[in-house]
Amino acid sequence: MLKTDSRFSEFQQALHQNKTSCVERVQHHLSVIEEKSHLNVFLSVYGSEALKKAAEIDQKIKDGKAGKLAGLVVGLKDVFSHKDHPLQASSKILDGFIAQYNATIVERLLNEDAIIIGRQNCDEFAMGSSNENSAFGPTLNSVNESRVPGGSSGASAVAVAANMCQVSIGSDTGGSVRQPAAFCGVVGLKPTYSRISRYGLIAYGSSFDCVGIIAKNIYDIALVLEVIAGKDEMDSTVSQQAVPSYSTCLSKSEPKKYRVAFLNEAMQSEALQPAIKNALQNKVDQLTSAGHIVEGINFPLLEYALPTYYILATAEASSNLSRYDGVRFGYRSGNTEDLESLYKKTRAEGFGKEVQRRILLGTFVLSASYYDAYYIKAQKVRNLIRKKTKEIFEQYDFIIMPTTPTTAFKLWENSGDPIAMYLADLFSVHANVAGVPALSVPCGTDEEGLPIGLQIVANDFDETRLFQFSKVLMNFV
Ligand code: GLN
């Protein structure tokens, strides 16, 4: 049995040499899931289905008919439509709901013979930074069980870190793939907005929502990205740009000297934990001594990224979540007199506290008297942030930043204080507001042994170079 830490390509090689099998691999992951069930990572485990699929793929490999992802064991955050399987966005309001069709990403993964092992816990409707806002209870961080795994794709990051699957697919609206990846010591990609189809992804903030990928290494992420990215007639917002063969480009990358910026506002932020600042400074020094040009630049708009995100994302959420009314999907309150009380009671009982807060906030910023002061203003700030970010990429190849201001905090430490919780997204929302791609890579640990994540932000559709540069960055020790 190969180490599950190794790259998927190594496992695939072993498969083709008959040294292991997909069935063996699935059995291994199932046993880890069972052994670590107290971490509360999976909401559903498709054990017998995954084993059956694995046996079919083992046969396909023998027949020389297997797809590109043959034997890749994948976990899905509970926000992707997977036909005939439960789908709840970790919310009571979708109790008993069964998906009617496959999300485009699910279809593409299955077409290439990936094996879906289960549905992963998350913050309700992907709103949160700790996985504590789930109707199914929190997920624990496998690195240190007294800590949160981050959110909202917290369980998806733990699943990869703890070897419950090879790759997880999450969603990143304001940092939900990168922040948990940083907290759990794994790699997380938020691609360019519109790179991957959102068809079949439960909508939160549609102008920010991105499908993201979590793995232990960039090679697996690159391979999965090239399978799931690209135009889709089911989502007209997806870019028509051709999808490069990211995995091939990655293995062929040439040594090159890059121009890299770091943001003085991030580096000097009072919220930044000293160990993370040191980790970033070390990378800056290592890059400089390796001959890359690394410069600190001023980006005073950084502090506006967070309020801009929380105004616009909640506005979009209040509209997107209006469909959960007790009539069409999932949960319906039993105790109602008329249509209006059915709507009200269903939504009051079905949505958790944080989701209700965001719907209220979003409705407020969209209301007639406050629309110009908040919503329109935030749209203008968003345009400005995007414009100024694009200007940085006229002079630099990448921006490097901490992924998060702190390492994983204690369970329930911030749950009573929404502002403290929102601050966990201080550095991650920038890429969502600007729409550009960003990758969080592990970068050592703090004095308590908790993982630190460093984020590389690139220009639109520059994922290939983003991967190539992350290789440079991670090669330093
Ligand atoms: N933590 C952020 C929030 O609560 C980001 C969520 C996300 O990316 N889905 O909104």
Side-chain angles (χ1 to χ4, degrees):
M1 180 78 184
L2 258 180
K3 283 204 336 237
T4 37
D5 273 10
S6 46
R7 288 183 208 165
F8 174 64
S9 59
E10 292 169 34
F11 169 67
Q12 238 182 357
Q13 217 172 12
L15 269 179
H16 287 282
Q17 293 164 350
N18 240 333
K19 291 186 185 153
T20 183
S21 69
C22 297
V23 168
E24 191 187 6
R25 183 64 169 225
V26 170
Q27 276 164 344
H28 168 72
H29 289 303
L30 288 173
S31 69
V32 182
I33 294 173
E34 168 91 42
E35 183 195 319
K36 300 196 172 153
S37 60
H38 66 286
L39 299 178
N40 198 21
V41 172
F42 280 88
L43 302 177
S44 313
V45 181
Y46 308 131
S48 44
E49 185 185 332
L51 284 169
K52 184 164 168 269
K53 184 88 200 275
E56 283 164 23
I57 296 170
D58 281 331
Q59 187 56 48
K60 273 189 168 180
I61 293 171
K62 287 203 184 84
D63 299 343
K65 288 186 187 149
K68 199 166 168 173
L69 300 183
L72 183 83
V73 178
V74 179
L76 290 181
K77 180 179 181 181
D78 187 22
V79 289
F80 294 105
S81 207
H82 178 197
K83 193 173 188 316
D84 299 330
H85 296 78
L87 172 62
Q88 276 191 252
S90 287
S91 179
K92 181 176 170 187
I93 209 150
L94 278 169
D95 252 358
F97 182 73
I98 302 291
Q100 310 288 300
Y101 60 91
N102 276 337
T104 297
I105 60 117
V106 170
E107 198 68 32
R108 290 184 182 174
L109 288 169
L110 294 176
N111 284 343
E112 291 297 342
D113 290 329
I115 300 166
I116 296 176
I117 197 155
R119 175 174 70 110
Q120 296 160 336
N121 203 355
C122 58
D123 283 299
E124 186 179 2
F125 283 98
M127 297 175 188
S129 310
S130 65
N131 221 129
E132 291 160 312
N133 300 336
S134 164
F136 299 98
T139 295
L140 309 182
N141 190 327
S142 58
V143 178
N144 178 334
E145 296 181 11
S146 70
R147 307 285 165 151
V148 302
S152 59
S153 317
S156 305
V158 176
V160 169
N163 292 323
M164 297 175 179
C165 55
Q166 177 97 18
V167 167
S168 291
I169 310 291
S171 61
D172 190 314
T173 305
S176 274
V177 157
R178 290 160 290 148
Q179 187 251 15
F183 278 13
C184 297
V186 293
V187 188
L189 171 75
K190 178 205 100 69
T192 311
Y193 181 78
S194 83
R195 181 71 294 192
I196 302 177
S197 170
R198 289 180 291 116
Y199 178 69
L201 163 67
I202 290 188
Y204 159 21
S206 308
S207 76
F208 299 90
D209 291 343
C210 282
V211 176
I213 306 165
I214 300 175
K216 281 211 169 119
N217 61 75
I218 45 171
Y219 299 90
D220 291 0
I221 293 192
L223 181 66
V224 170
L225 181 65
E226 74 193 34
V227 169
I228 64 178
K231 63 181 179 196
D232 176 19
E233 62 180 24
M234 305 308 283
D235 177 356
S236 60
T237 64
V238 180
S239 166
Q240 301 291 309
Q241 275 212 32
V243 178
S245 174
Y246 298 109
S247 57
T248 323
C249 299
L250 190 53
S251 51
K252 281 205 300 239
S253 58
E254 305 287 321
K256 185 181 176 307
K257 299 295 173 217
Y258 292 103
R259 294 182 62 87
V260 183
F262 63 86
L263 307 183
N264 293 326
E265 289 78 4
M267 189 68 117
Q268 280 143 26
S269 165
E270 277 175 22
L272 188 59
Q273 188 178 318
I276 302 183
K277 185 173 178 169
N278 288 343
L280 180 61
Q281 187 61 55
N282 277 343
K283 290 289 173 192
V284 169
D285 296 343
Q286 288 167 327
L287 284 169
T288 311
S289 26
H292 302 279
I293 294 171
V294 191
E295 291 170 344
I297 58 164
N298 293 333
F299 191 71
L301 286 172
L302 186 67
E303 66 169 310
Y304 298 103
L306 197 66
T308 302
Y309 167 77
Y310 274 98
I311 291 171
L312 297 178
T314 54
E316 294 179 22
S318 78
S319 157
N320 276 327
L321 272 62
S322 64
R323 74 191 74 178
Y324 306 105
D325 54 8
V327 177
R328 287 165 290 185
F329 319 94
Y331 177 75
R332 176 181 299 173
S333 172
N335 170 23
T336 60
E337 302 90 51
D338 53 16
L339 188 62
E340 191 165 322
S341 76
L342 174 98
Y343 289 156
K344 283 187 178 164
K345 286 193 173 153
T346 298
R347 287 167 68 82
E349 292 162 19
F351 286 133
K353 215 165 93 192
E354 182 60 25
V355 172
Q356 293 195 25
R357 183 182 355 258
R358 296 203 187 190
I359 293 173
L360 288 170
L361 262 173
T363 310
F364 174 80
V365 300
L366 287 174
S367 62
S369 351
Y370 296 101
Y371 186 77
D372 288 342
Y374 293 104
Y375 184 74
I376 295 292
K377 197 164 177 182
Q379 290 285 20
K380 288 181 182 160
V381 178
R382 182 179 195 183
N383 280 338
L384 200 61
I385 290 176
R386 171 155 170 87
K387 185 167 159 265
K388 294 289 175 194
T389 304
K390 297 286 287 176
E391 280 172 21
I392 299 177
F393 293 122
E394 285 166 14
Q395 293 186 45
Y396 297 94
D397 299 302
F398 308 105
I399 304 169
I400 53 174
M401 274 208 270
T403 308
T404 55
T406 68
T407 51
F409 40 88
K410 292 203 176 84
L411 203 64
W412 309 121
E413 182 180 334
N414 288 334
S415 57
D417 183 350
I419 304 285
M421 193 66 97
Y422 296 171
L423 279 174
D425 309 316
L426 191 58
F427 304 128
S428 55
V429 292
H430 166 247
N432 303 79
V433 170
V436 293
L439 182 76
S440 177
V441 295
C443 184
T445 52
D446 70 4
E447 46 294 314
E448 292 184 74
L450 298 168
I452 293 174
L454 193 64
Q455 185 179 204
I456 312 163
V457 183
N459 205 350
D460 294 337
F461 299 102
D462 214 0
E463 280 85 359
T464 301
R465 291 198 320 149
L466 182 60
F467 293 136
Q468 289 171 341
F469 177 62
S470 71
K471 222 161 83 171
V472 175
L473 204 69
M474 286 195 287
N475 275 342
F476 300 126
V477 273

